[in-house]
């Protein structure tokens, strides 16, 4: 596959003429009943090539009507009515209606934000720009100043003096709007499975032996990592003075890595993948190992020592850039590239976005062997979702940065950008704060990508053993949890690519008519089954818990970490110690994970599953697995789980559907039934025959555990749990005791508070009594959280 091969994406940029209304200087294309393309060009030339933002203009066949009044034109679809005076676009001459809702050209939208190129130099919140989600019923994508993609895949400047806008009229159907955008701009490619594990990254001058020792220590501590990120010191950073600086480099530093091929093989043998930091701005200079090959290819005498200038607009150079420089390194073990472009220049043609060009070409080239392609690079504008993964830049180490990241990540879904990778823990500046680092890692587990990172500083590193024992244990637990979640994450990865639903998205994507869905900026959906509201403020030094306000939609919700059951349709203050953050599943949810025994750096389809099933309602989940390839080399399998809640609750593992050769032929299962009363009537059948199992019960979290082994893909398993069909009571008294026990308060006050709480039957009287006893209002509210979880 060459850099000109666009088969990675399905592009169909020419619209069917049946859905085009064209005049001498204008063209209107009806893409859907809610999506119109509006073009104006003084020279009557219009864009039919794919662009950086748009790959597909040949949609389904929407019904519409055209009324030509001579000087004016009306286009009417089922949902939208467009009026146009056939002149250069103006606010008085181009407008549309959806019911009573009005839009006109140059209308100033209020949108709920999109995303930005980078968080470099940012400490806290910034403006998120515009996205496609708006309360005004309309939104707009302007593709006028664009880069066009030729049929051979080469990118060139787009048309001049050409207005090209896409008018979305999806009202409050935000999910449908984003799906329409994906159809227009191209689907999100699936990530390779390894990308969903833990990434180790640090700006540090590692040696071969130091890096091997570190990875060995992680393995000994049972801390899994699937990606090794090598920052710029992998290459020569101090070249001979006549060649300039060492920011750009392609030659391994042999003093640090005497045998880099052996080093890369060693990492691969441990199940890890490798990405190298890349700053290509200074081109290829004569001291590089690859210089002679690319010089000859470019027609430059190698003896001249003339630098091969980096020029993203030069087809000959870009072809050689991959064939002579990057592809040989990939053949020796580099899996993908961290494109750390921050410079100006780099192109001989004006109006080129060098970052976008690099992202486009590197991503396509990385797919040439049939594997799922991948890069790590900054966001380069609308349409960048086609080139995952996004590197958000050098973040400040501060609580303000942590508080902004959940909002930043989920809001990017408003432009379809679903795979941000942050410097988890922050990059630079700041002070060492053990609690901040712990909370940031917890957020990282429930982020699209978990990539630990830190800057060049001997005291700034993310190894868990560099922190106090409690923080260390929490960090290790959460790093293991991330790898356990990979079966769930990979299925959500598939859903994002095929169904157009990002892993992380704001609450208002699902609840667009709920005002509270817009108010809780740190809260987000994490896949189809979970809501997350990470803790982004320090714990109170008296209560030893931190407060976060969570909006629970209608229904009943169950906390994944403590098993507490909550009634929804309200805001509620949740208080969590350093070990937990609010992660909630709705009744009927199913979350498949890998068992502890099978997690590690190898992220392949697991041999042993741990599946969390949340009682209270029926549910189903289809697990997706494949062989991590693309196109005609792809083999996949899907396994459906079906849960029916009642006096005889059943959980069924259906027969696998697809090419079962790519998954283990015998698998073990551990099922955790949340929000269940204890039961003596549990059975497991395999293909209708009774089957041996083990079971247990956690009477604090109300979880029944059922375990069985050696299940083949062709087997159908049914687990039956008999009971009352009612949700259990929360273990409130124990939770309140533990809360009070952890407080840094006088013992006598603790005793008095506890006796008052357990002896009170009236929540309102208790609230008044606690007001008199306590100066810390959050302590009272933390106690009451346990008592008002169910209403």
């Amino acid at each position: 596959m060459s850099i000109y091969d666009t088969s990675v994406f399905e592009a169909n940029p020419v619209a069917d003429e049946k859905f085009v209304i064209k005049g001498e200087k204008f063209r209107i294309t009806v893409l859907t009943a809610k999506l119109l393309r509006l073009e104006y060009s003084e020279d009557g030339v219009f864009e039919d090539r794919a662009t950086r933002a748009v790959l597909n203009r040949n949609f389904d066949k929407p019904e519409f009507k055209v009324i030509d009044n001579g000087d004016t034109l009306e286009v009417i679809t089922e949902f939208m009515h467009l009026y146009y005076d056939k002149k250069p676009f103006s606010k008085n001459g181009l407008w549309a209606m959806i019911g009573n809702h009005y839009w006109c050209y140059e209308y100033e939208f209020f949108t709920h934000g999109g995303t930005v190129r980078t968080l470099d130099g940012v400490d806290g919140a910034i403006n998120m720009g515009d996205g496609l989600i708006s309360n005004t019923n309309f939104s707009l994508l302007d593709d006028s100043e664009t880069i066009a993609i030729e049929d051979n895949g080469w990118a060139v400047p787009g048309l001049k003096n050409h207005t090209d806008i896409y008018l979305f009229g999806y009202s409050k159907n935000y999910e449908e709007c984003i799906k329409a955008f994906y159809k227009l701009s191209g689907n999100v490619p699936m990530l390779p499975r390894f990308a969903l594990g833990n990434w180790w990254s640090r700006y540090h001058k590692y040696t071969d032996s130091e890096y091997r020792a570190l990875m060995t220590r992680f393995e000994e501590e049972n801390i899994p990592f699937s990606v090794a990120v090598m920052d710029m010191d992998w290459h020569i950073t101090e070249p001979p003075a006549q060649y300039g600086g060492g920011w750009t480099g392609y030659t391994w530093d042999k003093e640090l890595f005497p045998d880099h091929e052996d080093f890369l093989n060693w990492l691969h043998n441990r199940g890890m993948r490798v990405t190298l930091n890349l700053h290509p701005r200074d081109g290829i200079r004569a001291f590089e190992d690859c210089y002679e090959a690319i010089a000859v290819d470019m027609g430059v005498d190698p003896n001249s020592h003339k630098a091969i200038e980096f020029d993203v607009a030069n087809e000959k150079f870009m072809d050689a850039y991959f064939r002579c420089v990057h592809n040989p390194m990939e053949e020796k073990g580099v899996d993908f590239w961290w494109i750390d472009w921050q410079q100006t220049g780099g192109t001989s043609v004006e109006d080129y976005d060098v970052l976008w060009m690099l992202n486009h070409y590197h991503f396509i080239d990385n797919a040439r062997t049939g594997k799922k392609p991948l890069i790590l690079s900054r966001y380069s504008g609308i349409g960048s979702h086609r080139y995952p993964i996004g590197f958000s830049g050098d973040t400040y180490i501060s609580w303000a940065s942590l508080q902004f990241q959940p909002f930043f990540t989920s809001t990017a879904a408003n432009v379809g950008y679903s795979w941000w990778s942050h410097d988890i823990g922050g990059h630079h500046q700041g002070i060492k704060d053990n609690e901040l680092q712990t909370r940031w890692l917890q957020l990282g587990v429930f982020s699209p990508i978990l990539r630990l990172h830190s800057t060049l500083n001997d005291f700034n590193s993310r190894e868990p053993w560099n922190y106090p024992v409690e923080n260390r244990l929490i960090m290790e637990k959460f790093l293991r949890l991330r790898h356990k979640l990979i079966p769930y994450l990979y299925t959500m990865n598939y859903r994002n690519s095929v169904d157009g639903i990002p892993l992380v998205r704001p609450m208002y994507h699902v609840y667009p008519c709920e005002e509270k869905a817009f108010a809780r900026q740190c809260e987000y959906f994490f896949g189809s089954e979970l809501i997350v509201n990470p803790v982004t403020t320090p714990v109170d030094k008296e209560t030893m818990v931190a407060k976060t306000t969570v909006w629970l939609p209608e229904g009943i919700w169950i906390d994944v970490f403590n098993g507490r059951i909550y009634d929804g349709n309200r805001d509620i203050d949740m208080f969590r110690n350093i070990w937990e953050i609010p992660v909630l599943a709705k009744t009927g949810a199913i979350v498949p994970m890998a068992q502890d025994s099978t997690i590690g750096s190898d992220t392949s389809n697991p041999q042993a599953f741990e599946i969390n099933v949340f009682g209270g309602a029926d549910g189903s989940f289809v697990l997706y697995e494949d062989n991590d390839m693309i196109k005609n080399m792809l083999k996949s399998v899907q396994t459906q789980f079906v849960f029916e809640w009642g006096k005889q609750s059943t959980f069924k593992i259906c027969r696998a559907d697809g090419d079962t050769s790519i998954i283990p032929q015998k698998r073990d299962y551990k099922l955790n039934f949340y929000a269940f009363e204890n039961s003596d009537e549990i059975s497991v059948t395999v293909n209708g025959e009774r089957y041996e199992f083990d079971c247990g019960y956690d009477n604090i979290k109300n979880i029944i555990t059922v375990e069985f082994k050696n299940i083949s893909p062709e087997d159908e398993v049914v687990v039956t749990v008999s009971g009352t069909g009612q949700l259990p009571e929360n273990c409130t008294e124990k939770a309140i005791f533990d809360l009070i026990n952890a407080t840094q308060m006088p013992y006598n006050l603790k005793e008095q508070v506890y006796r008052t709480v357990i002896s009170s039957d009236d929540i309102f009287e208790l609230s008044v009594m606690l007001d008199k006893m306590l100066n810390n209002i959050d302590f009272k509210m933390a106690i009451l959280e346990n008592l008002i979880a169910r209403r």
Side-chain angles (χ1 to χ4, degrees):
M1 181 177 295
S2 76
I3 59 173
Y4 313 119
D5 189 343
T6 56
S7 63
V8 177
F9 309 110
E10 295 181 5
N12 195 351
V14 180
D16 188 329
E17 289 294 329
K18 296 177 183 177
F19 304 97
V20 175
I21 306 104
K22 187 175 180 181
E24 182 181 353
K25 296 182 179 181
F26 72 85
R27 187 169 68 169
I28 299 171
T29 306
V30 182
L31 297 169
T32 76
K34 301 178 182 179
L35 176 58
L36 304 179
R37 184 190 190 193
L38 310 173
E39 296 174 273
Y40 185 85
S41 172
E42 279 293 339
D43 59 12
V45 177
F46 302 102
E47 184 63 83
D48 282 325
R49 296 169 293 184
T51 69
R52 66 187 294 174
V54 175
L55 294 185
N56 179 37
R57 303 186 187 97
N58 197 348
F59 275 51
D60 298 330
K61 302 182 176 3
E63 294 184 1
F64 67 99
K65 180 171 68 174
V66 178
I67 301 175
D68 193 334
N69 300 309
D71 292 338
T72 61
L73 190 71
E74 296 178 52
V75 179
I76 304 168
T77 74
E78 181 182 358
F79 296 99
M80 196 183 307
H81 194 149
L82 181 80
Y83 301 83
Y84 175 46
D85 65 2
K86 300 185 180 180
K87 298 177 182 178
F89 293 166
S90 67
K91 63 182 180 181
N92 295 320
L94 179 64
W95 51 288
M97 300 288 293
I98 298 177
N100 295 323
H101 300 281
Y102 171 82
W103 167 86
C104 68
Y105 186 68
E106 296 181 342
Y107 181 88
E108 292 188 8
F109 282 99
F110 168 78
T111 73
H112 293 288
T115 197
V116 297
R117 198 174 187 105
T118 182
L119 292 177
D120 288 333
V122 173
D123 185 9
I126 58 172
N127 186 294
M128 292 292 290
D130 286 324
L132 297 172
I133 302 303
S134 167
N135 280 348
T136 61
N137 293 276
F138 293 95
S139 57
L140 202 70
L141 189 162
D142 190 341
D143 200 29
S144 303
E145 301 294 329
T146 192
I147 296 173
I149 304 172
E150 301 281 14
D151 291 342
N152 65 1
W154 183 249
V156 297
L159 298 176
K160 300 293 185 184
N161 303 314
H162 172 240
T163 302
D164 190 0
I165 59 177
Y166 294 81
L167 181 64
F168 291 75
Y170 285 85
S171 300
K172 284 189 173 286
N173 197 330
Y174 298 152
E175 289 184 307
E176 188 181 354
C177 179
I178 296 302
K179 289 181 180 182
F181 167 70
Y182 281 142
K183 186 166 186 178
L184 178 72
S185 188
N187 290 343
V188 181
M190 279 194 70
L191 304 188
R193 195 176 180 95
F194 68 79
L196 298 171
N198 299 321
W199 298 32
W200 178 258
S201 179
R202 185 186 180 193
Y203 185 16
H204 177 74
K205 212 175 187 71
Y206 282 111
T207 65
D208 179 304
S209 59
E210 183 184 9
Y211 206 91
R212 293 187 196 225
L214 176 63
M215 294 301 114
T216 300
R217 173 82 183 269
F218 280 134
E219 184 177 44
E220 291 171 348
E221 302 282 351
N222 192 26
I223 303 173
F225 283 93
S226 59
V227 179
V229 183
M230 309 298 293
D231 212 318
M232 60 179 291
D233 284 301
W234 67 269
H235 64 73
I236 295 172
T237 56
E238 297 179 5
Q242 67 266 32
Y243 297 112
W247 206 249
T248 299
Y250 297 96
T251 303
W252 283 84
D253 188 329
K254 294 178 178 57
E255 291 186 4
L256 302 178
F257 298 94
D259 187 345
H260 67 270
E261 290 185 53
D262 183 70
F263 172 72
L264 296 173
N265 286 334
W266 185 83
L267 289 170
H268 285 154
N269 290 336
R270 302 172 71 83
M272 299 183 72
R273 301 296 188 272
V274 184
T275 182
L276 302 185
N277 180 269
L278 176 64
H279 294 95
R281 175 63 183 86
D282 291 338
I284 296 89
R285 293 165 288 177
F287 68 88
E288 304 283 9
D289 288 349
C290 59
Y291 174 74
E292 182 174 353
I294 193 170
V296 170
D297 202 273
M298 292 294 294
V300 174
D301 180 2
N303 294 322
S304 71
H305 288 195
K306 180 182 177 182
I308 308 300
E309 296 293 335
F310 177 81
D311 183 2
V312 75
N314 184 319
E315 293 187 51
K316 183 177 181 181
F317 168 76
M318 290 303 292
D319 183 60
Y321 170 82
F322 285 104
R323 283 190 300 100
C324 301
V325 182
H326 295 82
N327 295 165
M329 297 182 72
E330 292 168 14
E331 291 166 4
K332 293 180 180 179
V334 178
D335 294 287
F336 63 103
W337 297 90
W338 171 12
I339 305 163
D340 201 356
W341 181 266
Q342 305 171 65
Q343 296 79 15
T344 58
T347 174
S348 58
V349 176
E350 292 184 5
D351 300 327
Y352 265 12
D353 184 335
V354 176
L355 177 62
W356 182 85
M357 303 279 280
L358 282 168
N359 292 351
H360 176 69
Y361 292 139
H362 268 281
F363 192 82
I364 291 173
D365 183 73
N366 196 245
R368 70 187 185 281
T369 61
K371 66 182 181 181
K372 289 187 174 70
L374 194 67
I375 61 171
L376 177 64
S377 185
R378 287 172 174 81
Y379 176 78
S380 58
I382 195 82
S384 292
H385 64 276
R386 298 195 303 267
Y387 314 110
I389 295 169
F391 164 51
S392 65
D394 298 339
T395 51
Y396 274 60
I397 300 170
S398 69
W399 284 98
S401 289
L402 173 61
Q403 288 162 13
F404 181 57
Q405 279 194 3
F407 172 72
F408 178 88
T409 307
S410 64
T411 302
N414 293 343
V415 288
Y417 200 67
S418 51
W419 294 111
W420 268 123
S421 171
H422 303 302
D423 290 358
I424 297 300
H427 180 69
H428 59 177
Q429 307 297 324
I431 62 172
K432 181 168 184 177
D433 185 326
N434 300 323
E435 183 185 0
L436 173 62
Q437 290 301 317
T438 304
R439 291 303 194 191
W440 217 321
L441 178 55
Q442 290 169 335
L443 168 64
V445 171
F446 294 96
S447 294
I449 301 296
L450 198 165
R451 179 179 51 83
L452 300 176
H453 190 59
S454 56
T455 194
L456 187 61
N457 186 310
D458 287 342
F459 299 97
N460 184 5
S461 192
R462 301 286 173 261
E463 295 91 341
W465 50 82
N466 287 336
Y467 296 87
V469 172
E470 184 177 39
N471 302 89
R472 171 184 175 174
L473 293 174
I474 297 168
M475 290 175 174
E476 292 175 350
K477 175 184 176 181
F478 273 81
L479 286 167
R480 295 181 193 113
L481 174 60
R482 176 67 185 200
H483 273 237
K484 289 181 67 174
L485 281 166
I486 288 176
Y488 175 71
L489 294 172
Y490 198 69
T491 300
M492 296 302 109
N493 175 25
Y494 174 76
R495 186 178 79 146
N496 186 191
S497 183
V498 173
D499 296 333
I501 304 175
L503 168 67
V504 172
R505 55 191 177 138
M507 299 298 292
Y508 52 78
H509 275 214
V510 181
Y511 297 97
C513 296
E514 294 280 355
E515 289 186 12
K516 291 181 179 179
F518 295 88
R520 298 295 162 219
Q521 294 189 343
C522 277
E523 186 175 345
Y524 55 88
F525 275 95
F526 191 68
S528 60
E529 310 298 288
L530 301 174
I531 285 176
V532 178
N533 196 321
V535 176
T536 60
T537 55
V539 299
D540 180 273
K541 299 308 179 185
E542 282 191 319
T543 64
M544 301 307 294
V545 291
K547 180 177 79 172
T548 181
T549 302
V550 179
W551 174 64
L552 293 176
E554 47 76 31
I556 299 175
W557 300 82
I558 303 162
D559 190 290
V560 169
F561 288 110
N562 58 38
R564 190 174 300 139
I565 304 169
Y566 293 87
D567 289 329
N569 198 27
R570 57 172 168 161
D571 285 328
I572 184 169
D573 290 335
M574 295 189 181
F575 296 83
R576 296 295 183 267
N577 62 30
I578 191 66
W579 285 85
E580 297 177 357
I581 63 172
V583 178
L584 297 122
K586 197 171 186 179
T587 52
I590 300 171
V591 180
M593 305 189 298
Q595 283 193 36
D596 283 314
S597 60
T598 61
I599 65 170
S601 297
D602 182 3
T603 58
S604 57
N605 300 321
Q607 184 275 326
F609 278 105
E610 181 173 346
I611 303 176
N612 292 337
V613 184
F614 295 86
D618 296 347
S620 65
F621 188 95
V622 179
L623 176 75
Y624 176 85
E625 300 171 282
D626 64 25
N627 62 345
D628 242 4
M629 303 299 282
I630 62 173
K631 304 296 180 184
N632 60 339
M633 290 181 280
L634 175 68
K635 298 178 181 179
S636 65
V637 60
Q638 299 188 43
T639 306
Q640 185 175 22
F641 307 126
V642 180
F643 175 59
E644 294 184 359
W645 167 258
K647 291 184 178 180
Q648 280 197 326
S649 296
T650 60
F651 181 78
K652 180 189 293 186
I653 303 172
C654 300
R655 293 181 176 90
D657 181 19
D659 190 335
T660 58
S661 67
I662 65 168
I663 61 176
Q665 295 307 293
K666 293 292 182 180
R667 282 176 150 167
D668 302 338
Y669 287 87
K670 176 182 180 182
L671 308 181
N672 299 318
F673 292 96
Y674 280 70
F676 269 70
E677 298 171 329
N678 199 3
S679 174
D680 294 327
E681 298 181 51
I682 301 173
S683 66
V684 176
T685 63
V686 177
N687 303 323
E689 301 291 331
R690 287 193 171 273
Y691 201 78
E692 183 179 348
F693 66 95
D694 293 318
C695 65
Y697 188 67
D698 183 333
N699 60 5
I700 303 299
K701 297 181 179 180
N702 295 319
I703 300 174
I704 292 175
T705 300
V706 179
E707 298 185 66
F708 44 91
K709 299 178 182 295
N710 297 320
I711 303 299
S712 75
E714 292 76 27
D715 289 334
E716 180 178 271
V717 181
V718 178
V719 179
T720 303
V721 180
S722 298
T724 65
Q726 302 296 315
L727 292 172
E729 296 292 326
N730 287 324
C731 193
T732 302
E733 187 172 324
K734 175 68 164 58
I736 292 174
F737 181 90
D738 290 344
L739 172 68
I740 296 172
N741 188 43
T743 60
Q744 305 296 291
M745 293 182 176
Y747 291 114
N748 290 342
L749 178 60
K750 291 182 182 218
E751 183 74 17
Q752 183 183 3
V753 169
Y754 182 65
R755 296 303 169 195
T756 301
V757 171
I758 63 174
S759 63
S760 176
D761 294 326
D762 189 305
I763 191 74
F764 298 105
E765 289 183 3
L766 174 62
S767 180
V768 172
M769 287 188 286
L770 291 177
D771 280 335
K772 295 177 181 178
M773 299 169 63
L774 301 172
N775 294 322
N776 190 323
I777 185 65
D778 280 347
F779 186 20
K780 182 191 87 167
M781 296 307 298
I783 293 171
L784 294 181
E785 178 201 345
N786 292 275
L787 299 171
I788 65 172
R790 302 298 309 277
R791 295 189 294 187

